[in-house]
Amino acid sequence: MKALVIAEKPSVGRDIARVLGCSRGGNGFLEGKDYVVTWALGHLVELSDPESYGEQWKTWKMETLPMMPKTLEIQVIKKTGKQYQTVKTQMYRKDVGEIIIATDAGREGELVARWIIKKSGVKKPMKRLWISSVTDKAIRQGFAHLKDAGEYQKLYEAAVARAEADWLVGLNATRALTVKHNAQLSCGRVQTPTLAIIAKREAQIRGFKPQPYYGLKVKGNGIWFHWRSEHNSPTTGSREEITNVSDKVRNSTGIVEEVKKKQQKSYAPPLYDLTSLQQDANRLYGFSAKQTLDYMQRLYEHYKVVTYPRTDSRYLTQDLVETLPERIKACRGGVYGPVCAKLLKSPVKGNKSFVDDKKVSDHHAIIPTEQGISFSELEYGERKIYELVISRFLAVLLPPCEYEQTEVTVLCEGERFTAKGKTVRHPGWQEIRNLQKEEGAFQEESEEEELWEKGSRREEILEQMPDFAKGQKILFGQGTISEGKTKPPLPFTEATLLAAMENPVKYMESADKSLKKTLGETGGLGTVATRADIIEKLFNSFMLEKKDQYIHLTSKGRQVLELAPEGLTSPELTAKWEQELSDIAAGKAKKKDFEAKIRSYTADIVRDIAASSKTYRHDNLTGKKCPECGKLLLEVNHKNGRMLVCQDRECGYRRTLSKITNARCPQCHKKMELTGEGEQRRFTCVCGYREKLSAFEKRKKENGGGVSKKDVNRYMNKMKQEAKEPINNAFADALAKIKL
């Protein structure tokens, strides 16, 4: 008899099949002497649509809410139904005696396999492969120590409890809000607190009162010395104080009071997990979280040059250390060749800074695979993301940067001044940053948040510092007074919003330390795999909009926060759920008790929404009528432009007005907007520049570059396709299986 192995993804399935000697190919599976290996495509089975329970929920009415099926059923996802049938067929084979669950080692991975098995109705013995990486060694060890699937029954129950709670709360709250206000409104356990986080930031910005500050620097011995207050601050809020200090030390002689020299080391930042990679890609290249994930999926699945992207770990497991030399060899393309050659001259070792089995749960950090590729084969976005992964991987393998830090303190007329310098002795991992600077792909980490909180400004650090001795006399010349005002916190970008979702503790109202601890340990709002989709959904439902790179709430987003049940607007709900789900997984609590609480909570929020006296107001109505139903159209800002949308949720009509393009303005070089239809299509820029599409194409053709006619046609076809997709249809939201 053979054992059937069910992996979560094709790539992992193929890795397992290769190790197990399964080389005979089937359609969606691989077979060998002792094993048959097949795979899901993520989830193949999901909770059933409300409409599948009967006529009462096929139409959206307040009197049919809350939707509370006695038992929540599951259904096959139509899009991946073919692969489900393949897996089911293999499970029912007469020569298959047992099933080995080899989906991801975690709560959601358990759910993927168990729902497939449950839906198929198969009854065969089950075992569990539980590994954190998919190297050949890890796979062999895992199969040598298979677990009984029964050991993970409680984990499965916790996964079902989470899925059912999101279905009950999210779909009922969304339907109730939508029906109550006859507008496409949605809320959920993750997306609504995300809106609340943005709202809090906007409130901080509105309520911020700038305070003036003043600083002073004076020149002596060819370098600038910066004044320090008695509290060791480089600034003061008093113009009078700084003016007095400037007058006092002008053309005076100071004495070197102290010369501090320290030998310091700086270490490379940790390896990437998905969130930190998305943050850097947004900060450096302006890629959205969804774009970065899409590029990573292609690098992982198609080119096979990076490891599994949907990870929340920044560490490797010990068994990966022996594979590091081959991975370095795969990175030798582009500008990183010399660094790779240097690393390969001596044995490659792992250390606790990036190798720790205890800090890897489901998947290890993102690193290159042993399979190299020519950078020329990659598209622009793919290449940039691949380079980020390579650079971070090589950086942790290089030694620390060693430098000497010098701080000179001068006392002049009772006032202290300091100058700081830094001399690099051995660049170590900074060699990678130097290469990135040469490529124009490096920016210093933003310190805006930190500076705002401290109320201070960045000090300059000299690269070349003269020698000073204690007691040395320094003649000061004319001082230069600097002044400014404290700045409010910046609006969120996708990078900083991802960070806030990952660590939303400071946005919690509760003082409960255990809740904050739980939220920190469980990864915050959403998961590394879902945050990009959540942000994208908020844009697509017109609750968020972008101005330059910054994210802002729309009127709709602000109103949804006002209309949503109070409990759904805070990260605390996620923290409470995670505590109870952890108890279910550990056998300390029962799924049925958690479900009873969720059903009661769902009934309460539907009742509150129905009884609310609050109203929703369309404040973006236009004078244009919908060509399909005759009602007035709304003008909405979405992520990449403007659009007309019918106000009637059941109509669903929409038409694109404009889209932000990659075409650059010849005057100010900013991205231009494409507006109009047919022959009237034209590019417009915020600087006032305008140009017809036909003139733009002609100009680009004459210049021998830029956007081709083919590119423009492809772009316009994409716009037409998007215009056909029903965004403002309430039924579409349910059918699309909103991510909560």
Side-chain angles (χ1 to χ4, degrees), residues 330 338 359 391 408 443 528 541 566 576 597 613 647 655:
K359 294 182 179 178
S391 62
V408 178
Q443 294 176 10
V528 290
S541 56
E566 188 174 344
K576 290 175 181 176
K597 290 181 185 177
S613 59
Q647 63 174 293
R655 177 165 64 87

Side-chain angles (χ1 to χ4, degrees), residues 342-584:
K342 182 188 296 184
L343 286 168
L344 292 168
K345 284 180 180 178
S346 54
V348 180
K349 299 178 181 179
N351 59 61
K352 279 288 184 181
S353 69
F354 67 95
V355 179
D356 191 339
D357 288 26
K358 294 178 182 178
K359 294 182 179 178
V360 178
S361 52
D362 295 1
H363 299 280
H364 59 72
I366 298 169
I367 57 174
T369 65
E370 297 93 330
Q371 184 168 316
I373 192 172
S374 170
F375 285 2
S376 62
E377 294 182 42
L378 303 174
E379 294 179 4
Y380 172 79
E382 295 166 348
R383 174 173 176 167
K384 291 303 179 187
I385 296 300
Y386 185 44
E387 286 178 337
L388 284 178
V389 173
I390 288 176
S391 62
R392 187 59 62 90
F393 170 66
L394 296 177
V396 300
L397 297 173
L398 288 166
C401 171
E402 297 180 18
Y403 61 94
E404 182 179 76
Q405 184 172 293
T406 303
E407 182 175 353
V408 178
T409 303
V410 174
L411 191 63
C412 182
E413 300 295 335
E415 302 290 342
R416 277 187 172 79
F417 292 81
T418 62
K420 294 179 180 180
K422 178 179 175 181
T423 304
V424 175
R425 303 299 186 196
H426 301 287
W429 72 273
Q430 290 280 357
E431 189 174 344
I432 294 293
R433 283 201 167 175
N434 294 336
L435 289 172
Q436 289 177 312
K437 287 177 182 178
E438 290 173 14
E439 291 281 294
F442 173 76
Q443 294 176 10
E444 291 289 352
E445 294 286 344
S446 172
E447 295 182 22
E448 291 289 350
E449 293 293 317
E450 184 181 349
L451 293 179
W452 168 68
E453 289 179 1
K454 290 182 178 179
S456 63
R457 55 191 180 84
R458 193 192 308 266
E459 288 185 82
E460 57 185 310
I461 297 178
L462 301 171
E463 294 294 335
Q464 296 294 327
M465 185 77 151
D467 287 330
F468 289 93
K470 186 175 181 180
Q472 180 179 343
K473 293 182 178 181
I474 307 290
L475 179 62
F476 281 164
Q478 178 79 29
T480 299
I481 294 175
S482 59
E483 62 180 282
K485 288 186 176 181
T486 54
K487 295 180 180 179
L490 292 169
F492 282 114
T493 62
E494 284 205 39
T496 54
L497 181 57
L498 283 167
M501 292 174 73
E502 186 178 39
N503 186 23
V505 170
K506 66 180 180 181
Y507 300 96
M508 290 175 63
E509 302 291 342
S510 173
D512 189 325
K513 291 183 179 179
S514 67
L515 284 181
K516 292 183 176 182
K517 184 172 182 286
T518 298
L519 201 57
E521 291 174 348
T522 54
L525 291 172
T527 66
V528 290
T530 61
R531 287 184 194 120
D533 287 334
I534 290 161
I535 294 173
E536 204 71 13
K537 176 182 171 55
L538 292 172
F539 277 118
N540 290 338
S541 56
F542 312 122
M543 289 192 271
L544 296 181
E545 62 183 351
K546 259 189 181 178
K547 296 175 183 175
D548 295 324
Q549 77 268 38
Y550 296 115
I551 295 173
H552 300 272
L553 286 180
T554 62
S555 169
K556 181 178 181 178
R558 282 189 289 273
Q559 290 187 79
V560 164
L561 278 177
E562 289 291 323
L563 301 172
E566 188 174 344
L568 274 181
T569 62
S570 170
E572 291 169 43
L573 182 64
T574 290
K576 290 175 181 176
W577 282 18
E578 286 296 342
Q579 281 185 336
E580 296 189 60
L581 293 172
S582 295
D583 287 344
I584 293 170

